[in-house]
Amino acid sequence: FNSIAPVNSQPSAFNVTAGANADTGTHNVVITQIAAAQRSLSDGSFASASANLNDGNAFILAISTHSGTPVKVTVPQGYTAPQDIVTAINSSSAGVKASLINTGLAGQPYKIVLTGTTGLQNDFTVTSTDLSDQPINIDGLTFSIPQNQSAKDADRKSTRLNSSHVK
């Protein structure tokens, strides 16, 4: 009987297999969009990396990945500065990484950047509550839509293999 052994000219880019009903021939793969991670920048800015937010009172950030169950990140009393918030998020299992950046702008140059995992299934939302789960608005600590970069999956429109061989 005959079987098809596919030949891939770009094995570092993707894998190719031939199923039982594969046809011989030349096929194209065209990538029209690479996968990306959501990246969100805090709406507000902060005067310093150590400026206390929420009057130094503890609060909770609820980070939900792809509308899943939120991971609650507790920011403890006295540790409410932007750098403390970044540390709390990065110490959690929320599925996002936080960074503190200095934009170089005068007055309030610091912002928090949250970056998710690559792919559309890893988009995320962030809400804040007090310790009794009541919604609160902490100046500058919102991550509203549109994000700087939305999560997205890679998109391929067609398939190309340089050649295939019939055995």
Side-chain angles (χ1 to χ4, degrees), residues 18-80:
N21 297 321
D23 290 327
T24 62
T26 300
H27 306 280
N28 295 319
V29 173
V30 178
I31 306 298
T32 59
Q33 170 181 295
I34 61 170
Q38 177 179 330
R39 187 172 47 236
S40 297
L41 188 65
S42 60
D43 290 340
S45 298
F46 313 105
S48 75
S50 59
N52 273 324
L53 304 177
N54 199 37
D55 294 325
N57 295 317
F59 59 92
I60 296 171
L61 293 174
I63 302 173
S64 179
T65 302
H66 202 63
S67 302
T69 302
V71 172
K72 292 184 178 184
V73 178
T74 300
V75 179
Q77 184 168 343
Y79 295 93
T80 61

Side-chain angles (χ1 to χ4, degrees), residues 98-114:
S99 303
L100 186 65
I101 62 167
N102 183 335
T103 64
L105 297 175
Q108 295 189 311
Y110 292 93
K111 287 187 172 276
I112 296 173
V113 178
L114 300 180

Side-chain angles (χ1 to χ4, degrees), residues 5-157:
V7 176
N8 180 355
S9 64
Q10 295 293 323
S12 64
F14 58 90
N15 295 324
V16 177
T17 59
N21 297 321
D23 290 327
T24 62
T26 300
H27 306 280
N28 295 319
V29 173
V30 178
I31 306 298
T32 59
Q33 170 181 295
I34 61 170
Q38 177 179 330
R39 187 172 47 236
S40 297
L41 188 65
S42 60
D43 290 340
S45 298
F46 313 105
S48 75
S50 59
N52 273 324
L53 304 177
N54 199 37
D55 294 325
N57 295 317
F59 59 92
I60 296 171
L61 293 174
I63 302 173
S64 179
T65 302
H66 202 63
S67 302
T69 302
V71 172
K72 292 184 178 184
V73 178
T74 300
V75 179
Q77 184 168 343
Y79 295 93
T80 61
Q83 185 59 60
D84 298 326
I85 295 165
V86 166
T87 299
I89 292 169
N90 289 339
S91 297
S92 76
S93 62
V96 300
K97 292 296 178 195
S99 303
L100 186 65
I101 62 167
N102 183 335
T103 64
L105 297 175
Q108 295 189 311
Y110 292 93
K111 287 187 172 276
I112 296 173
V113 178
L114 300 180
T115 304
T117 304
T118 301
L120 186 58
Q121 297 295 317
N122 297 306
D123 62 327
F124 60 87
T125 59
V126 181
T127 58
S128 53
T129 64
D130 62 18
L131 294 181
S132 62
D133 268 348
Q134 296 301 309
I136 58 174
N137 184 14
I138 300 169
D139 284 343
L141 197 58
T142 55
F143 298 90
S144 63
I145 296 174
Q147 302 88 16
N148 288 2
Q149 176 175 292
S150 297
K152 51 189 161 190
D153 289 332
D155 187 17
R156 63 182 186 278
K157 297 295 182 193

